[in-house]
Amino acid sequence: MIPVRHCLKLVPLCSQIRHGSRMFPQLKRGSFNRITDEDVNRFTGIVGETGIKTEELDHYNTDWLNTVSGFTELVISPKSVEEVAAVLRHCNERRLAVVPQGGNTGLVGGSNPVFDEIVLSLERLNNISHIDPYAGIVECEAGVILQNLSDKVGEHGYTVPLDLGARGSCFIGGNLATHAGGLRVVRYGQLRGSVLGMRVVLPDGQILDGRSNMRKDNTGYDIKQLFIGSEGTLGVITDVSLLLPQSPVSVNMALLGCDSFDDVIKCYRLSRQCLGEIVSACEFMDSLCMTSVNDILGLASPLENSHKFYYLVETSGMNMDHDMEKLETCIEKVFESGCATDGVMAASKDQARHMMSLRENIAPALKAVGFNYKYDVSLPIQHMYSLVEQIRNKIRLTEGAFSVGYGHLGDNNLHLNVITPHYSAQALSLIEPFVYEEVSRLKGSISAEHGMGLKKANYLRYSKDPSMIAMMRSLKDVFDPNGIMNPYKLLPWND
Amino acid sequence: MIPVRHCLKLVPLCSQIRHGSRMFPQLKRGSFNRITDEDVNRFTGIVGETGIKTEELDHYNTDWLNTVSGFTELVISPKSVEEVAAVLRHCNERRLAVVPQGGNTGLVGGSNPVFDEIVLSLERLNNISHIDPYAGIVECEAGVILQNLSDKVGEHGYTVPLDLGARGSCFIGGNLATHAGGLRVVRYGQLRGSVLGMRVVLPDGQILDGRSNMRKDNTGYDIKQLFIGSEGTLGVITDVSLLLPQSPVSVNMALLGCDSFDDVIKCYRLSRQCLGEIVSACEFMDSLCMTSVNDILGLASPLENSHKFYYLVETSGMNMDHDMEKLETCIEKVFESGCATDGVMAASKDQARHMMSLRENIAPALKAVGFNYKYDVSLPIQHMYSLVEQIRNKIRLTEGAFSVGYGHLGDNNLHLNVITPHYSAQALSLIEPFVYEEVSRLKGSISAEHGMGLKKANYLRYSKDPSMIAMMRSLKDVFDPNGIMNPYKLLPWND
C-alpha cells in the first residue's frame, strides 16, 4: 500500500508546465494560412464586434487539465447557424484552420488549439429552442451548458440521458461531438441512441439539415451518427433534438467497501441481478482515489474504515417503496455473499449527492496535486484493475509518482490516472505505449469516452483496424477536403 | 363504420399480381453486365456447388408481400466472410449488380432483385460464434434467424433488444441493414444503440473489420452506424456483436378498449407515468385490425365487446410483485380517468402471448385478403390517426378498398395499410404522394422502421433535406463507386 497521504501534495496550478504543442515536438504546423487583419474584418462583419475576441484568450487556448495549450489570437463566437456557416465558408476559402470549442472540458487536448487555429466558440449559440412536454423531447443549440439543459427539462419532469462531472461547464454540442459517456450510460445507453435530429455546418459553409423529432426514422443513411464522436473534425454541430427519459421519482444510492477487485465485480453482478431495470450508475474507485478526495478536497468518506476498493451503486425508479425494497434485498445478498465488508445506504438526497461527489471529485482532486496522465479505456471487466497494478509496478521507482484506478464499472470503463509532481517525459515513456499495447492485446478500447483528441490520435491503430482508419480518412476527405477542421486531432498525424 | 366483415374476403395468394419491376414501368435496368457461365464457374470456385442456386428461385425473387419480384437466375450463399469478399470482388470487377438478402421479410421491396441482380444470400452464414454470459454479449454472423438468436441467448438469461413479428424468418443481419424497429424500441431504444461491433464487406472485397465487444469505444468515427440502416447499398454486414439486456423475470400485459384515439393517447400517457422503467411495449390498433385478425385468422379478442380502438401495454421487469402492483395501479387510474371502457390483464404467459399475437397477426391477416399498400410512418402522436381517417376518406369510393391503422404508439410509429382486392394504380394515385406530403407537412418520417427499399426510394425528399440526400450520394460513391450494391433501392432513381 502506497502511503498516499504523504505522496499527495498540493501544487499551485500556476506552477504547472503548459506544454502546448511542445508536448509533441515532432508535430509541425499544417500549411494553413495565417490570419490577416482583412480576415478579422471579414469575421467581424459576420458576427459583429461582440462575437470577436482577440485578447485574454488563455481560457480558450488551454485545456482543463492545463496540459496542452495553443496560441490562437482569434476567438469567434457566432450567434446563429448562418453565422457559423459564413465563418466556416471564409475559413475554408482562405485555408484557415479552425477548432470548434464547447465548454473546453475535454481531457485529451481535443478542444483547444495546438498552434494558431481559430477558435470557433459555440458559447453564444445557447438557446433552448423548444421542450415538448408530452413527447419528452428537447430542441436546443449546441452551446447550452449541460447543467442548464438538465435544470430546464427537469422543470417538465424529464432528465437528460447523460450526466458527467463537468456538467456545470460542458456544452451539449461538445458532449455530442465527443460522444461523452459519463454516469448514466448503464441506464440510458450511449448518448447517440437518444439523438433524434441534428443540424451541422460543413467546412464549406453548407448546412446539413437533419433536424427531426421522430423517435424512429429509417429514411436513408444516418449521417448524424458520423458527427457524433467526430470531435469537430468533420463539421460543427449547431442544433440537436434529444429524446428525454422521465425524471425518476426516487433515487437511491449505496456505497460498499470491498477487499479486492474480484469482490467489486461480485458486488456489481449481484446488483445487476437484483436491481435490473432501476440501476442507473455502477461506479468503482480504489483506496487512493478515496484518500485523494478525502485529503485534497476535504470530502469525508461515509464509511468508518478505509477499504481497498469502493463500489457505488445508484438506482433511479418510479416507485420509492419498490426501489428501496430492491436495493435492500441487493445489499443483504451482497453481505450474505461476503463480497463487501462494509456499506452504507444514503438516507437522504444530500447524503446521496455527497456519495456521488466522492466519485465525481476524483479528477479535480488529482488535478490539484500534479501532472495527470489520464487513460480512459474499455476492458473486459476481469482485466480492468490488473492494468492499474501493472502501471503501478512500472512507475514504482519514479519519484513522487502514483497511480489510481476508478471508473464506470457497468460500462467496463476504467479511468487509469498516473500523477507525477510535474510533467515527466521519462514517466510518460514508462506508461506509453505499454498501456495501449495491453489494452489492444485484451481487445479493449484505448478511448472509452474521452475521445482521441490530440493526445491519443497517434495511437488510433491500437483500437482500430487499418481498414477502418483508411475509411475514416476517406470520410474526412469527403466532409473536409481542405483539412481545416480541428487539425492534428482524432486521426494520426505522425504517419 | 365500414362493415369490415363484408369487405374482407380471402383471396388465394396465387391470384395476386406479381408486379416485379413492372410496378415502376419507368425504372430501367442499370448498365450492369449480365452473368455469364464463366461468372457462375468463378462463383462456384469460391463458394462450392452447395453455395450456388440457379433453379427454384421464386422465394429469393419475390418479396414477402408478393408485391414486387425480380428475375435473378443466380443465388450465391457464402459460408465465410472471405467467401463474401471474394464474391463481391468479382461482382465489382465485372460490374454485376448484387442484392444482399437476409430472411427476405422486408416490406418495401428492398431485399429482392428488381431485374436480374445476383442474390447474395446470408443464409449459410448463421453461426452464433460466442455468448459471454457475464458481460451479456453475443457475437454472431449475419444469417442467424432472430428467433434462434433469441432462444440461444435466452438459455443464458438474456434477451435480444429487438423483437418483431417476422422473428421466425428474419436474419439479424437484415435487421441491422434495415435498422428494424419492432416492439421493444420503447424499452431498449433503437437497435443501433446495442451494436458493439460489426464486420462489413465492401463491394471491392475489402473487409472493414470493426469487431468489438466494448460498451464504450470513442476511437474515431463510428462507421458501423452508416451500415446500420443502409439496406445493403453500401456493403454486406457479415458479423455483429450485440449487447443484451437481462431476460425479464416477469412479463405482464393488458389490453384496453377505447372509444377514441384521444383516449388511446391518454391511456398511453398514464401507462408511461405509472409504469416508468418497466414498460416494454405500447401498441395500438383500430377496430378493423381487430376484426381482421378475428375473422381472417380466427384469433378471438379477449374483450367481450368490440371497441373503436385497442391499446396494448406490456411490462417486463425483475420483480413480479412490484410489476403487478404497478400495472394494477395503472389500470385503476386508466378506468378512473375514463379513457378506457373495458380491459383485461393477462393471467398467464399463454394469455399474454395470445394478446400479443392479435397485434402481431394484423399484417399476415391483411396480406391474406388483398393487395396491401403499406405505409410505415412516424408522426407527432396527436396526428397519428387523423392520417388514417384522411386516407379512408380518399379511398371511400374505391370498390372493395379499406384502410386500417395500428402500430407502435410508444415510438410514434403508425402502420397505415390500405387494402384493395387487387393491385390498382388508380387506388395508389389516391394515396400517393398525398400520404407523403402529409407526413412531410407534419414533420414526420415517411419510413419509421421499414426503410426505403424500392417502393419508397423516390419519396426520400419528403423526409430528407436536399443537403442530406446529396451527402448520402457522396457517401454511396465512397463505399460503392460502381453502384453494384442493391441498385434502385434507398436512394431516388427517378432523378
Short mmCIF file of all heavy atoms in Angstrom, two decimals, chain B residues 5 255-258 285-287 289-295 297-312 342-344 351 354-359:
data_model
loop_
_atom_site.label_atom_id
_atom_site.label_comp_id
_atom_site.label_asym_id
_atom_site.label_seq_id
_atom_site.Cartn_x
_atom_site.Cartn_y
_atom_site.Cartn_z
N ARG B 5 -66.66 -6.98 -41.91
CA ARG B 5 -66.89 -8.42 -42.14
C ARG B 5 -67.31 -8.70 -43.59
O ARG B 5 -67.20 -9.78 -44.10
CB ARG B 5 -67.90 -8.96 -41.15
CG ARG B 5 -67.29 -9.19 -39.77
CD ARG B 5 -68.24 -9.78 -38.78
NE ARG B 5 -67.55 -10.13 -37.56
CZ ARG B 5 -67.15 -9.26 -36.63
NH1 ARG B 5 -67.38 -7.99 -36.79
NH2 ARG B 5 -66.51 -9.66 -35.56
N LEU B 255 -54.77 -5.41 -22.15
CA LEU B 255 -55.40 -4.94 -23.38
C LEU B 255 -56.61 -4.10 -22.99
O LEU B 255 -57.46 -4.56 -22.21
CB LEU B 255 -55.84 -6.14 -24.24
CG LEU B 255 -56.49 -5.81 -25.58
CD1 LEU B 255 -55.48 -5.23 -26.57
CD2 LEU B 255 -57.15 -7.06 -26.18
N LEU B 256 -56.66 -2.89 -23.50
CA LEU B 256 -57.74 -1.96 -23.14
C LEU B 256 -58.55 -1.59 -24.37
O LEU B 256 -57.99 -1.47 -25.47
CB LEU B 256 -57.14 -0.70 -22.52
CG LEU B 256 -56.25 -0.90 -21.30
CD1 LEU B 256 -55.48 0.37 -20.97
CD2 LEU B 256 -57.09 -1.35 -20.11
N GLY B 257 -59.84 -1.42 -24.18
CA GLY B 257 -60.71 -0.96 -25.27
C GLY B 257 -61.04 0.51 -25.07
O GLY B 257 -61.40 0.92 -23.96
N CYS B 258 -60.92 1.30 -26.14
CA CYS B 258 -61.12 2.76 -26.02
C CYS B 258 -62.12 3.23 -27.08
O CYS B 258 -62.24 2.64 -28.15
CB CYS B 258 -59.80 3.50 -26.23
SG CYS B 258 -58.48 2.99 -25.14
N MET B 285 -54.21 -0.54 -32.02
CA MET B 285 -54.81 -0.97 -33.30
C MET B 285 -56.25 -0.44 -33.33
O MET B 285 -56.85 -0.20 -32.28
CB MET B 285 -54.80 -2.49 -33.42
CG MET B 285 -55.52 -3.24 -32.34
SD MET B 285 -55.47 -5.04 -32.62
CE MET B 285 -54.43 -5.58 -31.28
N ASP B 286 -56.77 -0.30 -34.53
CA ASP B 286 -58.16 0.14 -34.62
C ASP B 286 -59.08 -1.08 -34.76
O ASP B 286 -58.61 -2.22 -34.83
CB ASP B 286 -58.35 1.17 -35.74
CG ASP B 286 -58.03 0.62 -37.12
OD1 ASP B 286 -57.96 -0.63 -37.28
OD2 ASP B 286 -57.83 1.43 -38.05
N SER B 287 -60.36 -0.82 -34.79
CA SER B 287 -61.33 -1.93 -34.76
C SER B 287 -61.21 -2.82 -36.00
O SER B 287 -61.41 -4.03 -35.92
CB SER B 287 -62.75 -1.38 -34.65
OG SER B 287 -63.04 -0.61 -35.79
N CYS B 289 -58.54 -3.61 -37.56
CA CYS B 289 -57.43 -4.55 -37.34
C CYS B 289 -57.91 -5.73 -36.51
O CYS B 289 -57.62 -6.89 -36.83
CB CYS B 289 -56.29 -3.86 -36.59
SG CYS B 289 -55.46 -2.60 -37.54
N MET B 290 -58.61 -5.41 -35.43
CA MET B 290 -59.07 -6.48 -34.54
C MET B 290 -60.01 -7.43 -35.29
O MET B 290 -59.85 -8.65 -35.23
CB MET B 290 -59.79 -5.88 -33.32
CG MET B 290 -60.26 -6.90 -32.30
SD MET B 290 -58.92 -7.89 -31.55
CE MET B 290 -58.59 -6.95 -30.05
N THR B 291 -60.97 -6.89 -36.04
CA THR B 291 -61.89 -7.77 -36.76
C THR B 291 -61.14 -8.55 -37.85
O THR B 291 -61.51 -9.68 -38.16
CB THR B 291 -63.08 -7.00 -37.36
OG1 THR B 291 -62.59 -5.81 -37.97
CG2 THR B 291 -64.08 -6.64 -36.30
N SER B 292 -60.10 -7.96 -38.41
CA SER B 292 -59.33 -8.70 -39.41
C SER B 292 -58.70 -9.95 -38.81
O SER B 292 -58.83 -11.05 -39.36
CB SER B 292 -58.22 -7.82 -40.00
OG SER B 292 -58.77 -6.70 -40.64
N VAL B 293 -57.99 -9.78 -37.70
CA VAL B 293 -57.36 -10.97 -37.12
C VAL B 293 -58.40 -11.94 -36.57
O VAL B 293 -58.23 -13.16 -36.64
CB VAL B 293 -56.30 -10.63 -36.03
CG1 VAL B 293 -55.06 -10.04 -36.65
CG2 VAL B 293 -56.85 -9.72 -34.97
N ASN B 294 -59.52 -11.40 -36.06
CA ASN B 294 -60.60 -12.27 -35.59
C ASN B 294 -61.16 -13.11 -36.73
O ASN B 294 -61.23 -14.34 -36.67
CB ASN B 294 -61.77 -11.46 -35.00
CG ASN B 294 -61.40 -10.63 -33.78
OD1 ASN B 294 -62.10 -9.69 -33.43
ND2 ASN B 294 -60.28 -10.92 -33.14
N ASP B 295 -61.53 -12.42 -37.82
CA ASP B 295 -62.27 -13.08 -38.89
C ASP B 295 -61.38 -13.89 -39.82
O ASP B 295 -61.74 -14.99 -40.23
CB ASP B 295 -63.04 -12.03 -39.72
CG ASP B 295 -64.16 -11.38 -38.92
OD1 ASP B 295 -64.28 -11.71 -37.73
OD2 ASP B 295 -64.89 -10.56 -39.49
N LEU B 297 -58.07 -14.85 -39.39
CA LEU B 297 -57.19 -15.85 -38.78
C LEU B 297 -57.85 -16.59 -37.62
O LEU B 297 -57.25 -17.49 -37.04
CB LEU B 297 -55.88 -15.19 -38.31
CG LEU B 297 -55.08 -14.46 -39.41
CD1 LEU B 297 -53.82 -13.86 -38.83
CD2 LEU B 297 -54.74 -15.39 -40.57
N GLY B 298 -59.06 -16.20 -37.29
CA GLY B 298 -59.78 -16.91 -36.24
C GLY B 298 -59.22 -16.70 -34.84
O GLY B 298 -59.41 -17.53 -33.95
N LEU B 299 -58.50 -15.62 -34.66
CA LEU B 299 -57.96 -15.33 -33.32
C LEU B 299 -58.97 -14.48 -32.56
O LEU B 299 -59.31 -13.38 -33.00
CB LEU B 299 -56.63 -14.58 -33.44
CG LEU B 299 -55.48 -15.34 -34.09
CD1 LEU B 299 -54.31 -14.40 -34.40
CD2 LEU B 299 -55.01 -16.46 -33.16
N ALA B 300 -59.43 -14.96 -31.42
CA ALA B 300 -60.51 -14.28 -30.71
C ALA B 300 -59.98 -13.14 -29.85
O ALA B 300 -58.90 -13.22 -29.26
CB ALA B 300 -61.25 -15.27 -29.83
N SER B 301 -60.77 -12.07 -29.77
CA SER B 301 -60.43 -10.97 -28.86
C SER B 301 -60.77 -11.40 -27.44
O SER B 301 -61.82 -11.99 -27.20
CB SER B 301 -61.24 -9.74 -29.23
OG SER B 301 -61.19 -8.80 -28.18
N PRO B 302 -59.92 -11.07 -26.49
CA PRO B 302 -60.25 -11.42 -25.10
C PRO B 302 -61.28 -10.46 -24.49
O PRO B 302 -61.74 -10.70 -23.38
CB PRO B 302 -58.90 -11.31 -24.38
CG PRO B 302 -58.06 -10.43 -25.22
CD PRO B 302 -58.58 -10.48 -26.61
N LEU B 303 -61.60 -9.40 -25.21
CA LEU B 303 -62.63 -8.48 -24.70
C LEU B 303 -63.98 -8.89 -25.27
O LEU B 303 -64.09 -9.26 -26.44
CB LEU B 303 -62.30 -7.04 -25.12
CG LEU B 303 -60.99 -6.46 -24.57
CD1 LEU B 303 -60.76 -5.06 -25.12
CD2 LEU B 303 -61.03 -6.44 -23.06
N GLU B 304 -65.01 -8.79 -24.44
CA GLU B 304 -66.33 -9.25 -24.89
C GLU B 304 -66.89 -8.40 -26.02
O GLU B 304 -67.40 -8.90 -27.01
CB GLU B 304 -67.30 -9.23 -23.71
CG GLU B 304 -67.32 -10.57 -22.99
CD GLU B 304 -68.38 -10.60 -21.91
OE1 GLU B 304 -69.46 -10.03 -22.11
OE2 GLU B 304 -68.08 -11.23 -20.87
N ASN B 305 -66.79 -7.09 -25.82
CA ASN B 305 -67.36 -6.20 -26.84
C ASN B 305 -66.28 -5.69 -27.77
O ASN B 305 -65.08 -5.76 -27.47
CB ASN B 305 -68.04 -5.01 -26.15
CG ASN B 305 -69.18 -5.49 -25.27
OD1 ASN B 305 -69.99 -6.31 -25.70
ND2 ASN B 305 -69.19 -5.03 -24.03
N SER B 306 -66.73 -5.19 -28.89
CA SER B 306 -65.75 -4.58 -29.80
C SER B 306 -65.65 -3.08 -29.49
O SER B 306 -66.57 -2.47 -28.93
CB SER B 306 -66.14 -4.82 -31.26
OG SER B 306 -67.35 -4.18 -31.53
N HIS B 307 -64.49 -2.53 -29.82
CA HIS B 307 -64.20 -1.13 -29.49
C HIS B 307 -63.61 -0.45 -30.70
O HIS B 307 -63.07 -1.10 -31.59
CB HIS B 307 -63.23 -1.07 -28.31
CG HIS B 307 -63.76 -1.71 -27.08
ND1 HIS B 307 -64.48 -1.03 -26.12
CD2 HIS B 307 -63.73 -3.01 -26.67
CE1 HIS B 307 -64.85 -1.87 -25.17
NE2 HIS B 307 -64.42 -3.09 -25.49
N LYS B 308 -63.68 0.86 -30.68
CA LYS B 308 -63.12 1.59 -31.83
C LYS B 308 -61.61 1.46 -31.88
O LYS B 308 -61.00 1.41 -32.95
CB LYS B 308 -63.53 3.07 -31.75
CG LYS B 308 -65.00 3.27 -32.13
CD LYS B 308 -65.32 4.74 -32.29
CE LYS B 308 -66.78 4.89 -32.73
NZ LYS B 308 -67.31 6.22 -32.41
N PHE B 309 -61.00 1.41 -30.70
CA PHE B 309 -59.54 1.30 -30.62
C PHE B 309 -59.14 0.35 -29.48
O PHE B 309 -59.90 0.19 -28.52
CB PHE B 309 -58.90 2.67 -30.37
CG PHE B 309 -59.04 3.61 -31.52
CD1 PHE B 309 -60.10 4.51 -31.57
CD2 PHE B 309 -58.13 3.59 -32.57
CE1 PHE B 309 -60.24 5.37 -32.64
CE2 PHE B 309 -58.27 4.44 -33.65
CZ PHE B 309 -59.33 5.33 -33.68
N TYR B 310 -57.93 -0.19 -29.64
CA TYR B 310 -57.38 -1.06 -28.60
C TYR B 310 -55.97 -0.59 -28.26
O TYR B 310 -55.19 -0.23 -29.17
CB TYR B 310 -57.33 -2.52 -29.07
CG TYR B 310 -58.69 -3.06 -29.42
CD1 TYR B 310 -59.24 -2.85 -30.68
CD2 TYR B 310 -59.46 -3.73 -28.47
CE1 TYR B 310 -60.50 -3.31 -31.00
CE2 TYR B 310 -60.74 -4.20 -28.77
CZ TYR B 310 -61.26 -3.98 -30.05
OH TYR B 310 -62.51 -4.45 -30.35
N TYR B 311 -55.68 -0.61 -26.98
CA TYR B 311 -54.34 -0.24 -26.53
C TYR B 311 -53.76 -1.42 -25.75
O TYR B 311 -54.40 -1.95 -24.83
CB TYR B 311 -54.39 1.01 -25.64
CG TYR B 311 -53.05 1.38 -25.04
CD1 TYR B 311 -51.97 1.71 -25.87
CD2 TYR B 311 -52.86 1.43 -23.66
CE1 TYR B 311 -50.74 2.05 -25.33
CE2 TYR B 311 -51.63 1.78 -23.11
CZ TYR B 311 -50.58 2.09 -23.95
OH TYR B 311 -49.35 2.42 -23.42
N LEU B 312 -52.58 -1.85 -26.16
CA LEU B 312 -51.95 -3.00 -25.52
C LEU B 312 -50.66 -2.54 -24.86
O LEU B 312 -49.80 -1.92 -25.51
CB LEU B 312 -51.65 -4.04 -26.60
CG LEU B 312 -51.21 -5.42 -26.16
CD1 LEU B 312 -51.65 -6.46 -27.20
CD2 LEU B 312 -49.72 -5.51 -25.99
N ASP B 342 -63.13 -0.73 -21.28
CA ASP B 342 -63.05 -2.16 -21.00
C ASP B 342 -61.57 -2.53 -20.98
O ASP B 342 -60.74 -1.81 -21.53
CB ASP B 342 -63.78 -2.95 -22.10
CG ASP B 342 -64.08 -4.38 -21.67
OD1 ASP B 342 -63.79 -4.74 -20.51
OD2 ASP B 342 -64.59 -5.14 -22.51
N GLY B 343 -61.26 -3.67 -20.38
CA GLY B 343 -59.86 -4.07 -20.37
C GLY B 343 -59.65 -5.41 -19.70
O GLY B 343 -60.48 -5.83 -18.89
N VAL B 344 -58.57 -6.06 -20.08
CA VAL B 344 -58.21 -7.32 -19.42
C VAL B 344 -56.69 -7.36 -19.20
O VAL B 344 -55.93 -6.81 -19.99
CB VAL B 344 -58.58 -8.58 -20.27
CG1 VAL B 344 -60.04 -8.92 -20.12
CG2 VAL B 344 -58.19 -8.39 -21.73
N GLN B 351 -51.92 -16.42 -22.10
CA GLN B 351 -52.85 -15.31 -22.39
C GLN B 351 -52.10 -14.09 -22.93
O GLN B 351 -52.57 -13.41 -23.84
CB GLN B 351 -53.62 -14.93 -21.12
CG GLN B 351 -54.72 -15.93 -20.77
CD GLN B 351 -55.58 -15.44 -19.60
OE1 GLN B 351 -55.45 -14.31 -19.15
NE2 GLN B 351 -56.46 -16.32 -19.13
N HIS B 354 -51.20 -14.72 -26.43
CA HIS B 354 -52.38 -14.58 -27.30
C HIS B 354 -52.68 -13.10 -27.58
O HIS B 354 -52.94 -12.71 -28.73
CB HIS B 354 -53.60 -15.26 -26.67
CG HIS B 354 -54.85 -15.09 -27.49
ND1 HIS B 354 -55.05 -15.77 -28.67
CD2 HIS B 354 -55.93 -14.28 -27.33
CE1 HIS B 354 -56.20 -15.40 -29.20
NE2 HIS B 354 -56.76 -14.49 -28.40
N MET B 355 -52.63 -12.29 -26.53
CA MET B 355 -52.89 -10.85 -26.71
C MET B 355 -51.92 -10.25 -27.72
O MET B 355 -52.30 -9.50 -28.61
CB MET B 355 -52.68 -10.11 -25.38
CG MET B 355 -53.88 -10.12 -24.48
SD MET B 355 -53.52 -9.05 -23.06
CE MET B 355 -54.76 -9.65 -21.93
N MET B 356 -50.63 -10.58 -27.55
CA MET B 356 -49.63 -10.01 -28.45
C MET B 356 -49.83 -10.55 -29.87
O MET B 356 -49.56 -9.84 -30.84
CB MET B 356 -48.22 -10.30 -27.92
CG MET B 356 -47.11 -9.57 -28.66
SD MET B 356 -47.31 -7.76 -28.73
CE MET B 356 -46.42 -7.25 -27.26
N SER B 357 -50.28 -11.80 -29.96
CA SER B 357 -50.46 -12.38 -31.30
C SER B 357 -51.56 -11.65 -32.07
O SER B 357 -51.53 -11.60 -33.30
CB SER B 357 -50.76 -13.88 -31.20
OG SER B 357 -52.12 -14.09 -30.86
N LEU B 358 -52.51 -11.08 -31.37
CA LEU B 358 -53.55 -10.29 -32.05
C LEU B 358 -52.90 -9.12 -32.78
O LEU B 358 -53.19 -8.84 -33.95
CB LEU B 358 -54.56 -9.76 -31.03
CG LEU B 358 -55.40 -10.80 -30.31
CD1 LEU B 358 -56.14 -10.17 -29.14
CD2 LEU B 358 -56.39 -11.45 -31.28
N ARG B 359 -52.00 -8.46 -32.08
CA ARG B 359 -51.31 -7.32 -32.68
C ARG B 359 -50.36 -7.77 -33.79
O ARG B 359 -50.29 -7.15 -34.85
CB ARG B 359 -50.55 -6.59 -31.56
CG ARG B 359 -49.45 -5.64 -31.98
CD ARG B 359 -49.99 -4.46 -32.76
NE ARG B 359 -48.84 -3.68 -33.26
CZ ARG B 359 -48.16 -3.97 -34.36
NH1 ARG B 359 -48.51 -5.00 -35.12
NH2 ARG B 359 -47.15 -3.21 -34.72
#
